């Protein structure tokens, strides 16, 4: 049996859910992959805990001050990193230093935050290639909704001609509330914030940046593009008026905030904006906080997936799906 030592950097809602799901699946890893998977370190911004023998559930509530940072993770002896810190696509966020350290050392790496992948994707790909580390990022590319995996596994070998995705749950929820109940953007947003479905500062979602990050990650890591945020046209939903919604309703159209990737003249283009769909289109029926993706390939035609996992468990499960791909590859 081979031992795999896992560290988690970023120990908020998603990091904790990932740790707890990983511990509950240890017997599965043993049985299916003949792998002894140990969680050897976790850390937040200022504190952490490690054990070479593997942390148990009770130890995850006793983080010690001062144990954090890429050096702490390296010292833990981890050979796989799961990075779940805050996302900042303008700077790469704290995740960038962890990812550089892990990939340079040749450690397989699972990324959940989007910031570093958007800001320094090319560099991180090169680091992984240079060191032979496997870099997986389902959690950063719409998590419970399969996106990269659809392209890499289910549509393997096909040429992707077009991708359309409803990739942000908050904007889908808001647009649906505006469309079905005739309320304005501000009203829908206040309700969503009170219900915990929208952030206190919702601009990352409502202005389309979260969708743009996921789209850019899919384009660059899934389709081999080399786009930066400056290459994308990004429109949000913040200026959609009740009058516009009413006009669409009158025409039997449902608005969605959609990220779209297309190929033309050998180049890949990506844009985020409102698109409208007739009621018979499956995209018109993606409800509430669900997400969806439609991929058109030259050989397999249209493939559609709709995801509706509960967060943060679904994101943790997406990261651990990546872990199983790594276990399978390393045990082959
Ligand atoms: N929530 C979801 O369902 C979801 C879905 C898909 C992707 N994501 C992505 O997953 C990531 C985590 O989300 P979350 O909801 O768990 O956020 P969160 O609850 O705010 O947790 C963020 C964690 O990162 C830690 N952190 C900050 N700076 C750090 C540093 N320098 N080193 C180590 N840890 C650091 C924080 O530490 P302290 O506790 O010490 O502040 C906190 O534990 C985000 O990038 C998010 O975009 C989330």
């Amino acid at each position: 049996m081979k031992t795999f030592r896992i560290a988690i950097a970023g120990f908020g809602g998603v990091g904790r859910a990932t740790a707890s799901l990983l511990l509950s699946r240890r017997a599965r890893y043993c049985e299916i992959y003949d792998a002894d998977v140990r969680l050897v370190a976790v850390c937040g911004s200022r504190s952490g805990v490690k054990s070479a023998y593997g942390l148990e559930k009770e130890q995850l509530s006793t983080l010690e001050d001062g144990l954090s940072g890429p050096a702490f993770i390296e010292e833990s002896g981890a050979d796989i990193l799961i990075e779940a810190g805050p996302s900042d696509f303008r700077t790469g966020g704290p995740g960038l230093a962890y990812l550089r350290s892990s990939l340079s050392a040749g450690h397989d790496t699972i990324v959940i935050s989007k910031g570093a992948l958007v800001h320094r994707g090319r560099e991180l790909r090169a680091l992984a290639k240079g060191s032979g580390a496997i870099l997986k990022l389902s959690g950063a590319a719409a998590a419970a909704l399969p996106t990269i995996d659809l392209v890499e596994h289910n549509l393997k070998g096909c040429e992707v001609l077009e991708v359309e995705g409803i990739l942000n749950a908050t904007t889908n929820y808001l647009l649906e509330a505006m469309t079905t109940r005739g309320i304005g953007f501000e009203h829908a947003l206040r309700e969503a914030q009170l219900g915990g479905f929208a952030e206190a500062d919702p601009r990352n979602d409502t202005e389309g940046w979260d969708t743009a990050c996921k789209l850019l990650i899919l384009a660059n890591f899934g389709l081999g593009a080399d786009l930066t945020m400056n290459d994308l046209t990004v429109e949000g939903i913040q200026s959609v008026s009740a009058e516009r919604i009413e006009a669409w309703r009158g025409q039997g159209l449902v608005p969605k905030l959609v990220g779209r990737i297309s190929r033309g003249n050998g180049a890949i283009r990506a844009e985020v904006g409102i698109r409208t769909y007739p009621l018979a289109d499956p995209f018109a029926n993606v409800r509430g906080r669900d997400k969806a993706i439609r991929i058109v390939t030259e050989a397999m035609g249209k493939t559609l997936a709709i995801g509706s996992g509960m967060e943060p468990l679904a994101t943790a499960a997406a990261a651990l799906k990546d872990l199983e791909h790594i276990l399978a590859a390393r045990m082959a």
Side-chain angles (χ1 to χ4, degrees), residues 170 174 188-189 191-202 205-206 289:
T170 303
L174 292 173
L189 178 60
E191 275 188 8
Q193 285 169 324
L194 287 172
F197 307 131
E199 304 276 337
D201 180 353
D205 292 322
T206 56
R289 294 178 48 76

Side-chain angles (χ1 to χ4, degrees), residues 10-14 43-45 68 84-87 94 98 112-114 139 311 315:
F11 207 50
V14 171
C43 73
S45 65
S68 175
S87 242
Y98 287 94
I112 299 177
S113 73
K114 294 167 273 295
E311 304 295 359
T315 303

Side-chain angles (χ1 to χ4, degrees), residues 62-108:
T62 56
L63 273 55
E64 271 180 56
D65 283 351
L67 302 183
S68 175
F72 164 69
I73 297 292
E74 197 55 38
E75 283 157 22
S76 73
D79 34 43
I80 298 179
L81 171 72
I82 301 178
E83 191 279 315
S87 242
D88 183 341
F89 72 88
R90 294 182 175 90
T91 65
L96 183 55
Y98 287 94
L99 299 183
R100 280 178 171 147
S101 166
S102 177
L103 292 170
S104 317
H107 298 321
D108 296 336

